[in-house]
Structure formats: C-alpha cells, structure tokens
Amino acid sequence: MEPALIAFVALVALGGYVQTVAGFAMGMIILAGTSAFALYGLPVTTAVISLVSLLNIVLSLQGHVHRIHRRGVLALVAGQAPAIVVGVVLLGFLDVRAERVLQGLLGAFILAGCGAMALRPRPRTTPSTTPAFALAGVAGGLLAGLFSASGPVLGWFLYRQPLPVPEIRATLLATFAVSTLVRTVVVGVEGGLTGEVWRLAGASVAAVLVSVWLGRRFPPPVSEDALRRGAFALLTLMGAWILAGALGVPQLAAASA
C-alpha cells in the first residue's frame, strides 16, 4: 500500500472517529488533510468523501430516524439539490482552469467553516420559515457540490432552531445523507466515479467501520468541548497552510503545490 493511500485511510479513520464522538467535521478533516499534503486531486477526494460519509451517516442514524425534523429536511433538500449540481459543475470548471483560485477557495472555506462551527449560535425563539430553510439548503448545497462538506453552514443554521439537540443532529445527518447521495449521482453521471475513486473508497470502508465502533466504545478521556477545540485548531492550521499556498507565500506555496 503506497504512503499516500495509507495517509488517506488514516485521515478517514480520524475524521470518522471525531464525527462519531463529536458529531461533526468528517468531511472537513479528510478534505483539509488531503489538500494540505497534496495526496490526491480535489475532484477525486470530494467524490470519495461523499461515499465514505454516506456509510458513516447510515451507521450513525441507526435508532435515531424518528427524531428527524421532516419539514426542515424537505425544505433544506429542496434548496440543496439544484445547488449541488451547480457546485459540482463549478468544481470541474475551476479544477481545470483556475487551480490556484480553487485552492484559495478551499483554504478560505476551511477557515470560515472552523469559525462557524466554533461559534455557539444563539437559538431563535421561533423556528425559521420554510423559505429560510430552503435558502440555507442552497448555501449548503453549493458547498456540498464544491467540497462535499456542507456541515458548517447547515450546522450553524440548524443549531439556531429551537429544537432538541438530538433532533438537530438527526436532521443534520438526514440532510447530509440526501446531499451526499445526490452529489454521488451527479458526479457519476459526469463520469467522475473513476477507478481511483472506488479504490480509495474501498480501502476506506474498514477505517469507517472501525472508527465508528471505537468512537462508541472508547470515547476520548477529554470533554467534547476539548475535542472540538483540538479539531478546530488542527483544521485552522491546515486551512491557513492551503490558503497561504494559494496566495503564493514563499515556501508554503511550493509545499502546497
């Protein structure tokens, strides 16, 4: 097994473990690590993230389907679906014609995402309207299409709703399940589910299963807040590294190329 594949599977395991115990950031951890260390191209990485995330979500949703906020999911998905198509098309365009721009967008997205997830949004006194849910879905769908990671936008939006936390988490997982499925179909229609994508996804299945089991049986001996802070710090450093390379900072730019 080549070093790049070993590193990628390790990132999948880390992301799966963190998401199991803290409920967030599997996609961002894989995306940031793969891009920061130039393991694989962004289109391949995001396609694999969709596949392995779907497996993690299905496992995590077991026993919690009844908690899903159905009106919210329907409105979010209505906004997400067309925006995912736009994001995937934009990713293909930028990957071919403006690689440095795409790299800069990725670094900025990771930094902004960390900021959004680190905040504790103040809950509303009343639920947002259906159009507001749909608009959040559009924003999340665009990021899902581009980076296969809509968590920062949708997580911040849903945690503002006056809903029980278990319902919010189940709704997020259901929304992610739909978005990853739609994105996978769109990428497949475009011919993006290549042999390399399936090879990486197949090599990562065991890592997802083991990380979910470990997260449930052996949570870390630190508080969830401490784990989140550590993950945010790591992601922030990776995002800054990627953005610095895109902006042409000496040495970092060469290392990120």
Side-chain angles (χ1 to χ4, degrees):
M1 187 180 292
E2 64 267 29
L5 181 56
I6 294 174
F8 185 84
V9 172
L11 286 169
V12 171
L14 174 62
Y17 182 81
V18 172
Q19 181 151 298
T20 300
V21 298
F24 80 107
M26 180 179 183
M28 285 187 66
I29 288 173
I30 299 171
L31 188 65
T34 303
S35 300
F37 301 109
L39 300 179
Y40 298 100
L42 195 56
V44 169
T45 300
T46 52
V48 177
I49 288 173
S50 293
L51 293 172
V52 298
S53 294
L54 189 57
L55 175 59
N56 179 274
I57 290 165
V58 170
L59 294 173
S60 300
L61 260 180
Q62 287 182 346
H64 301 284
V65 174
H66 65 284
R67 300 182 185 276
I68 296 171
H69 188 265
R70 287 170 173 76
R71 180 185 71 85
V73 166
L74 290 174
L76 287 169
V77 170
Q80 270 190 309
I84 289 172
V85 178
V86 174
V88 171
V89 172
L90 185 59
L91 171 62
F93 178 84
L94 291 175
D95 184 60
V96 173
R97 297 171 178 80
E99 182 178 356
R100 187 60 63 85
V101 173
L102 182 60
Q103 186 181 4
L105 286 174
L106 174 59
F109 162 69
I110 292 171
L111 291 175
C114 287
M117 291 190 296
L119 292 174
R120 292 187 177 275
R122 180 177 299 175
R124 294 168 51 91
T125 56
T126 58
S128 297
T129 62
T130 298
F133 269 86
L135 186 60
V138 170
L142 185 61
L143 291 175
L146 270 170
F147 304 124
S148 195
S150 57
V153 170
L154 298 185
W156 185 87
F157 177 79
L158 280 174
Y159 272 101
R160 290 202 66 211
Q161 305 307 311
L163 300 170
V165 171
E167 189 171 332
I168 290 173
R169 288 181 175 173
T171 302
L172 271 173
L173 288 171
T175 305
F176 294 158
V178 174
S179 66
T180 53
L181 186 59
V182 170
R183 190 185 192 281
T184 298
V185 170
V186 173
V187 171
V189 170
E190 289 198 333
L193 296 179
T194 62
E196 185 176 27
V197 169
W198 288 113
R199 181 177 70 92
L200 292 175
S204 302
V205 168
V208 174
L209 296 175
V210 171
S211 65
V212 171
W213 180 80
L214 287 174
R216 290 177 174 176
R217 291 291 302 274
F218 304 102
V222 297
S223 68
E224 183 175 314
D225 283 344
L227 180 67
R228 285 174 179 266
R229 285 195 295 270
F232 289 145
L234 179 62
L235 284 168
T236 299
L237 289 173
M238 289 182 175
W241 180 280
I242 295 167
L243 184 59
L247 294 176
V249 175
Q251 297 182 340
L252 290 185
S256 299

